[in-house]
Amino acid sequence: MNLQQQIGALSVTPMSAESGFNSGDTIPATVSASPGWRSPTASLRCGTDIDRVSPSPPLSPRIGVMRPDLSVAWQALMKEEAAPAEVREYKEVVGAQVKEKGVPVYVMMPLDSVTKGNTVSRRKAVNASMQALKSAGVEGVMMDVWWGLVEREAPGEYNWGGYVELMEMAKKHGLKVQAVMSFHQCGGNVGDSCTIPLPKWAVEEIDKDPDLAYTDQWGRRNYEYISLGCDTLPVLKGRTPIQCYSDFMRSFRDRFEHLLGDTIVEIQVGMGPAGELRYPSYPEQNGTWKFPGIGAFQCYDKYMLSHLNTAAVAAGKPEWGSTGPRDAGDYNNWPEDTNFFRKEGGGWNCPYGEFFLTWYSEMLLSHGERILSSVKSIFDNTGVKISVKIAGIHWHYGTRSHAPELTAGYYNTRFRDGYLPIAQMLARHGAIFNFTCIEMRDHEQPQDAQCAPEKLVRQVALATGKAEVPLAGENALPRYDEFAHEQILKASCLDVDGNEGGEREMCAFTYLRMTPDLFQSENWRRFVAFVKKMKEGKNGEQVQREAEHFVHVSQPLVQEAAVALMH
């Protein structure tokens, strides 16, 4: 298989230890699927199945630019694969350069870039694709570093196998890396192309004590991420969840110390399902939730209820401490279907609702504080940035209660800014606020669900500006059209007050995702122009002509990659 075909091979084969191009040390054990959700059939308010905003990963500040000559890069890419790729020196001193106008673009790697056997999946295709991305002016790549793969077999035993090779591959091509500490399960959300459960030994502990899993009011358990209610309890073979996350990150730091601050420029810390700081309030697994349902509160495991009881007693309202709201509807209701979220006289806007929502959201913020305190001590003086991903929950944004945001843990209503406290928490730890749904436009969304992604992005931009925390973005769904690209360009300027051309802009943007679709001829043409416009902080005919020239040079490669995908 030549280099052109290797790009087309991306994501074609499933993740397994026996994947085509794998070699090196392997672990013979097989990851077993997690028990997942145990849920009854949920009623649907909305008859059409509309894709929701999907989870996605991180971003990072720009640290200078060095672009090889494009024609030379493509000639190298089109050589026989037997010829070793040229290794380019790519030395930079962190902080030595002043950030220029423009937003660097990163590209997310496939979720299954490392196999169950701890080797690189589709190695040759990934290598060829990294060459192509670098020559197109991409700043770097994002990769999920899965807890469920690295520490799968036993507590404290870390196998960094495939990640060592991926990091070296990125370094060879002069690409920066955003490493996502993925402490969640992969599988069950939009865009999840494979299943990677939590470590086997952690799942065994949850099976023994189901209250370690987030739980809804009907007793359904969620295995995507360990309940934050037990953050500080030694429930995982004698360690607390926070200690497990910290030990994992410390091992990562020690193993990749030589690459920190140079190749690895950012650590994004997973803090919940899909790696986002939120509760698993809208789980798609087994059809539990469908867009644009309001979701459900996740505070019914015994650990969360214990915290709730303590808070209620402290507030002088012990009767409020035994349960969460019982009139908040089901996953697929709409706000006006429920007593709690309805516009007029809803429980969300009464003393009990204010107490509960304050407690629920502050528990999430405290979870973020605990993890960031640990991260800061582990990666201090390593030269890497720290980021946290926040979900872009834009549906029912136009209602008074903002029900889907409330069930996810974001206390954002018509009368309260729920994103400023998050931004302030990140600012205290010097972390980047990474936000999704940047590519979406209000009029593209179902109007009856009062979706407003543009207004939501604007609110987040204002909150991060007020808190003086860097804002990074990513697209929530795969989009290759110019409308999405133009929306990203517009949003990245952070023109929230109408002063276009101001000093503030996003610190980085991460593009979803490195797949065969990206290398389809028209998609690639638009993507190359998009990257150039983002990096150079400008639009116009000159940028378009330069991008078209590059696409013309690369056309044979792109065409052959497209053909390879059809076989």
Side-chain angles (χ1 to χ4, degrees):
M1 183 180 284
N2 63 26
L3 289 174
Q4 295 96 316
Q5 292 170 322
Q6 290 159 27
I7 290 179
L10 266 173
S11 300
V12 173
T13 56
M15 186 185 76
S16 71
E18 293 77 28
S19 292
F21 300 120
N22 302 326
S23 67
D25 296 335
T26 61
I27 295 179
T30 302
V31 176
S32 59
S34 83
W37 277 81
R38 306 165 174 89
S39 61
T41 303
S43 60
L44 290 180
R45 164 68 182 265
C46 183
T48 57
D49 185 8
I50 310 165
D51 284 342
R52 70 163 179 88
V53 55
S54 112
S56 14
L59 309 114
S60 134
R62 183 181 190 176
I63 313 179
V65 177
M66 179 180 289
R67 291 187 58 192
D69 176 76
L70 298 180
S71 60
V72 173
W74 278 107
Q75 288 168 12
L77 181 57
M78 296 173 70
K79 286 180 181 178
E80 291 299 321
E81 62 188 53
E86 176 188 358
V87 179
R88 293 186 179 87
E89 291 298 325
Y90 197 77
K91 286 272 183 192
E92 293 170 346
V93 179
V94 176
Q97 289 143 332
V98 178
K99 185 183 184 303
E100 302 169 7
K101 186 75 175 174
V103 179
V105 175
Y106 290 73
V107 175
M108 303 176 199
M109 294 186 63
L111 293 168
D112 61 346
S113 293
V114 171
T115 72
K116 297 176 184 178
N118 297 88
T119 61
V120 174
S121 178
R122 301 176 299 276
R123 177 183 295 105
K124 295 180 182 179
V126 170
N127 184 65
S129 298
M130 282 189 178
Q131 284 183 277
L133 292 176
K134 177 61 182 178
S135 65
V138 167
E139 186 83 357
V141 293
M142 179 284 298
M143 63 179 74
D144 287 278
V145 182
W146 295 104
W147 184 32
L149 290 181
V150 175
E151 197 181 356
R152 180 180 63 217
E153 296 302 318
E157 293 184 8
Y158 306 101
N159 186 330
W160 297 106
Y163 291 107
V164 172
E165 188 174 351
L166 278 180
M167 298 295 181
E168 293 297 335
M169 197 182 293
K171 178 183 179 182
K172 179 183 72 173
H173 295 301
L175 291 169
K176 305 301 185 186
V177 174
Q178 301 163 323
V180 187
M181 303 291 103
S182 296
F183 298 118
H184 61 286
Q185 168 187 290
C186 179
N189 287 303
V190 163
D192 285 354
S193 57
C194 60
T195 298
I196 303 173
L198 301 184
K200 281 198 308 186
W201 53 271
V203 173
E204 289 169 1
E205 293 303 299
I206 299 174
D207 287 339
K208 286 188 283 187
D209 180 5
D211 283 289
L212 298 180
Y214 281 117
T215 307
D216 64 21
Q217 71 181 83
W218 304 278
R220 287 173 283 202
R221 311 286 188 177
N222 187 300
Y223 279 66
E224 288 184 75
Y225 187 85
I226 294 171
S227 170
L228 63 82
C230 58
D231 267 356
T232 59
L233 301 175
V235 293
L236 295 178
K237 306 284 188 183
R239 290 186 297 168
T240 70
I242 298 295
Q243 286 174 330
C244 290
Y245 307 149
S246 299
D247 290 346
F248 181 90
M249 290 187 287
R250 196 172 291 109
S251 176
F252 177 88
R253 178 201 65 193
D254 294 345
R255 182 62 186 82
F256 297 102
E257 186 175 11
H258 62 295
L259 298 176
L260 296 178
D262 182 11
T263 295
I264 302 172
V265 296
E266 181 179 329
I267 302 295
Q268 192 205 8
V269 192
M271 294 190 174
E276 297 166 334
L277 177 63
R278 65 173 176 87
Y279 294 99
S281 56
Y282 48 95
E284 294 180 286
Q285 200 166 34
N286 300 329
T288 301
W289 172 88
K290 295 286 186 182
F291 179 93
I294 58 176
F297 292 113
Q298 306 291 312
C299 59
Y300 292 87
D301 63 79
K302 68 183 181 183
Y303 301 106
M304 290 291 287
L305 288 176
S306 175
H307 287 289
L308 177 59
N309 181 65
T310 299
V313 170
K317 294 286 187 179
E319 65 274 18
W320 288 351
S322 60
T323 181
R326 292 293 193 182
D327 57 352
D330 201 345
Y331 287 96
N332 295 298
N333 284 136
W334 285 29
E336 291 304 308
D337 297 336
T338 75
N339 287 327
F340 190 80
F341 295 119
R342 67 186 181 189
K343 178 172 59 177
E344 299 290 347
W348 64 276
N349 200 28
C350 72
Y352 165 73
E354 292 172 6
F355 159 78
F356 174 79
L357 293 171
T358 298
W359 167 80
Y360 191 67
S361 61
E362 287 183 351
M363 286 289 287
L364 189 64
L365 287 172
S366 296
H367 174 66
E369 291 268 14
R370 282 189 287 271
I371 295 180
L372 281 176
S373 294
S374 175
V375 174
K376 195 171 181 180
S377 66
I378 293 170
F379 292 101
D380 192 32
N381 296 320
T382 60
V384 300
K385 299 288 186 181
I386 304 299
S387 71
V388 175
K389 186 169 64 170
I390 310 299
I393 303 174
H394 60 84
W395 53 103
H396 301 296
Y397 183 86
T399 64
R400 291 185 184 178
S401 64
H402 293 236
E405 291 163 90
L406 299 185
T407 57
Y410 305 157
Y411 191 0
N412 190 55
T413 70
R414 182 163 296 183
F415 313 120
R416 187 181 189 278
D417 186 347
Y419 297 98
L420 182 57
I422 297 173
Q424 290 169 333
M425 184 267 287
L426 297 181
R428 286 194 293 274
H429 296 277
I432 296 168
F433 191 120
N434 182 27
F435 198 61
T436 61
C437 79
I438 303 299
E439 85 285 10
M440 295 182 175
R441 297 182 293 175
D442 291 353
H443 73 267
E444 295 172 338
Q445 313 305 318
Q447 297 304 299
D448 56 345
Q450 299 194 51
C451 301
E454 290 180 77
K455 295 181 179 65
L456 174 57
V457 169
R458 182 178 187 277
Q459 181 184 353
V460 167
L462 287 168
T464 53
K466 187 173 182 179
E468 298 183 342
V469 64
L471 176 62
E474 60 187 49
N475 51 314
L477 298 173
R479 290 282 296 270
Y480 306 100
D481 57 286
E482 289 177 349
F483 293 112
H485 292 168
E486 290 303 318
Q487 183 62 29
I488 295 167
L489 283 161
K490 176 184 173 184
S492 68
C493 295
L494 300 182
D495 179 24
V496 294
D497 295 313
N499 59 333
E500 189 174 351
E503 289 302 310
R504 190 165 179 257
E505 61 187 351
M506 286 186 179
C507 61
F509 182 82
T510 302
Y511 194 88
L512 175 75
R513 172 182 311 272
M514 185 196 289
T515 65
D517 287 340
L518 176 60
F519 296 100
Q520 291 291 333
S521 180
E522 281 303 299
N523 292 345
W524 182 249
R525 179 185 65 79
R526 287 189 287 262
F527 176 74
V528 169
F530 164 74
V531 171
K532 192 166 186 63
K533 292 173 185 177
M534 289 285 282
K535 284 190 67 174
E536 298 188 6
K538 60 184 179 181
N539 210 326
E541 294 183 7
Q542 177 63 25
V543 173
Q544 196 68 37
R545 281 197 300 270
E546 291 175 10
E548 290 292 346
H549 172 70
F550 173 79
V551 171
H552 176 73
V553 172
S554 65
Q555 191 172 22
L557 171 64
V558 175
Q559 286 178 338
E560 190 163 345
V563 170
L565 286 173
M566 295 186 289
H567 293 84

